[in-house]
């Protein structure tokens, strides 16, 4: 004898397996905001089963009521059957609820964002003016046959000074004072790359290297503790001063315009011999304005230091100075950018004032 009809059991099993299927579907797909909708539906179905079977006026209490008119033996037997059915339902619901909790926790922790929120329209970025000028210079020097190589900013004294013929107590070190660590320095110029590159590659060679440099300079409109330089050098069997002039002249013509003139005056660098400073004719006033703010009325703008690589430097690198010779030059990227784009103060490059940065967004 049984108090629970097969129909009733079938109905329950049908409903619970529907819930289990839905749960499986949720678990097998990626969590997104449709998951929360499906979980809501799942919970509604569970509530429905609960109220249908377990609530005060539900099927289980009704069945227990029916027992009251029966004999004690029947009560015991059929009561057991009802209890078993009730336990089955309660356990099923408990297991399913645990699984739901697990999914909800996942949503909360891995995925705690409001997916219905509308996102902000994205703003278009642009390159910083220093990057733009670097790129322009790389293009010109690539056309002139130079390779581009990356460098290191954290250096040792040997590569920044000694190998470049600037011994420990040489007064020229004052020109390039820098920041010192326990076991290294911040490079003061990109000339360290002459050494680094030639330790790895042998001549013939024609390279430029661009990067940040550091000096113990007080900050003002034209000086900064950090700036960028471009170093260029070429070494081969028959390189002479005329090759240096010709190369720089072609660079200037390509970069500042075909009318631009160049002028060299003698200078001193320990790593070049002879050395020179190169000026260009003012591309702004064409040497026609006594009050020009770019050339200060002189008609000339000094833009770089250069020279023939000192044979001592070549010897330091095991390159035979009787067979090989080379030229080198170094220029400040900020200075070029300030001249070309009429930027009055070096501090503007890194103050990160967004309106300043936006001024150049049209160029790239
Ligand atoms: N390194 C020099 C400076 O920082 C520039 C330079 C480079 C001069 C190469 C000559 C040759 O002032």
């Amino acid at each position: 004898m049984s108090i629970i009809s097969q129909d009733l059991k079938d109905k329950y099993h049908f409903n619970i397996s529907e819930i289990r299927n839905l749960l499986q579907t949720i678990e097998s797909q990626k969590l997104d905001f449709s998951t929360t909708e499906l979980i809501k539906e799942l919970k509604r179905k569970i509530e429905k089963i609960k109220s249908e079977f377990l609530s005060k006026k539900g099927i289980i209490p009704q069945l227990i009521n029916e027992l009251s008119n029966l004999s004690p033996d029947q009560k015991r037997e059929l009561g057991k059957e009802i209890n078993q059915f009730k336990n089955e339902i309660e356990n099923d619901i408990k297991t399913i609820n645990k699984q739901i909790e697990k999914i909800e926790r996942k949503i909360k922790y891995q995925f705690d964002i409001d997916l219905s929120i509308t996102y902000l329209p994205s703003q278009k970025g642009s390159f910083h003016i220093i990057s733009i000028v670097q790129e322009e210079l790389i293009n010109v020097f690539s056309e002139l046959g130079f390779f581009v190589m990356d460098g290191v900013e954290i250096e040792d004294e040997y590569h920044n000074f000694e190998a470049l013929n600037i011994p420990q107590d040489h007064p020229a070190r004052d020109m390039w004072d820098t920041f010192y660590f326990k076991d290294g320095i911040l490079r003061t110029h990109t000339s360290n790359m002459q050494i680094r590159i030639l330790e790895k590659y042998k001549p013939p060679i024609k390279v430029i290297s661009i990067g940040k440099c550091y000096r113990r300079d007080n900050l003002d409109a034209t000086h900064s503790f950090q700036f960028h330089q471009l170093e260029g050098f070429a070494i081969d069997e028959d390189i002479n001063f005329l090759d240096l002039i010709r190369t720089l002249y072609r660079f200037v013509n390509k970069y500042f315009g075909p009318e631009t003139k160049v002028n060299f005056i003698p200078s001193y660098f320990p790593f070049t011999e002879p050395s020179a400073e190169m000026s260009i004719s003012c591309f702004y006033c064409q040497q026609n304005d006594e009050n020009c703010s770019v050339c200060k009325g002189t008609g000339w703008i000094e833009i770089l230091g250069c020279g023939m690589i000192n044979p001592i430097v070549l010897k330091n690198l095991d390159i035979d100075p009787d067979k090989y010779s080379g030229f080198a030059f170094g220029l400040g990227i900020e200075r070029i950018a300030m001249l070309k784009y009429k930027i009055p103060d070096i501090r503007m490059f890194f103050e990160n004032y967004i309106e300043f940065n936006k001024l150049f967004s049209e160029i790239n």
Side-chain angles (χ1 to χ4, degrees), residues 151 230 356 359:
L230 179 150
F356 170 75
L359 287 177

Side-chain angles (χ1 to χ4, degrees), residues 150-156 160 178-179 181 184-190 192-193 196 210-214 226-228:
D150 245 355
V152 293
E153 288 171 37
I154 296 180
E155 234 338 336
D156 51 48
N160 195 79
T178 184
F179 300 92
F181 305 119
I185 60 168
L186 293 181
R187 71 167 168 194
T188 58
H189 48 185
T190 41
N192 68 327
M193 292 313 293
R196 292 258 167 214
I210 303 186
K212 288 195 193 80
C213 303
Y214 304 82
Q226 182 210 282
F227 53 96
H228 297 74

Side-chain angles (χ1 to χ4, degrees), residues 31-42:
L31 296 182
D32 61 24
F33 81 105
S34 71
T35 315
T36 37
E37 291 306 308
L38 291 176
I39 286 181
K40 269 186 207 158
E41 194 188 325
L42 205 58

Side-chain angles (χ1 to χ4, degrees), residues 79 123 150 174 181 228-229 234 237 275 284 300 314 319 335:
Q123 282 194 325
D150 245 355
D174 291 349
F181 305 119
H228 297 74
Q229 273 192 347
E237 289 190 19
S275 306
Y284 203 73
W300 294 97
L314 296 179
I319 297 169
R335 177 150 173 79

Side-chain angles (χ1 to χ4, degrees), residues 176 188-189 191 194 215 229 231 269 271-272 305-307 328-330:
W176 290 285
T188 58
H189 48 185
S191 299
Q194 290 184 32
R215 287 193 197 166
Q229 273 192 347
E231 187 86 6
F269 298 104
F271 35 91
T272 47
C306 59
F329 53 91

Side-chain angles (χ1 to χ4, degrees), residues 29 38 56 62 68 76 82 86 114 132 202 220 262 280 296 300 324 330 351:
Q29 66 190 16
L38 291 176
K56 268 189 190 156
Q62 268 175 37
S68 55
R76 201 171 308 121
I82 296 171
K86 188 180 162 214
D114 181 357
I132 295 170
K202 291 299 153 206
D220 65 24
V262 293
I280 56 171
K296 308 275 181 299
W300 294 97
Y324 289 104
E351 274 170 347

Side-chain angles (χ1 to χ4, degrees), residues 12-13 15-24 26-27 39 42-43 45-47 49 88-104:
Y12 169 73
H13 286 134
N15 284 338
I16 204 81
S17 69
E18 211 184 39
I19 290 178
R20 285 207 187 96
N21 285 342
L22 187 55
L23 195 64
Q24 232 174 27
I26 296 174
E27 281 175 331
I39 286 181
L42 205 58
K43 284 181 170 172
K45 284 182 191 274
I46 293 171
E47 278 314 307
I49 287 193
E88 187 188 341
I89 298 172
E90 282 176 347
N91 282 339
D92 284 346
I93 291 177
K94 216 164 134 188
T95 337
I96 291 166
N97 274 340
K98 266 194 188 152
Q99 276 166 285
I100 292 177
E101 259 175 47
K102 221 163 120 186
I103 299 171
E104 283 181 324

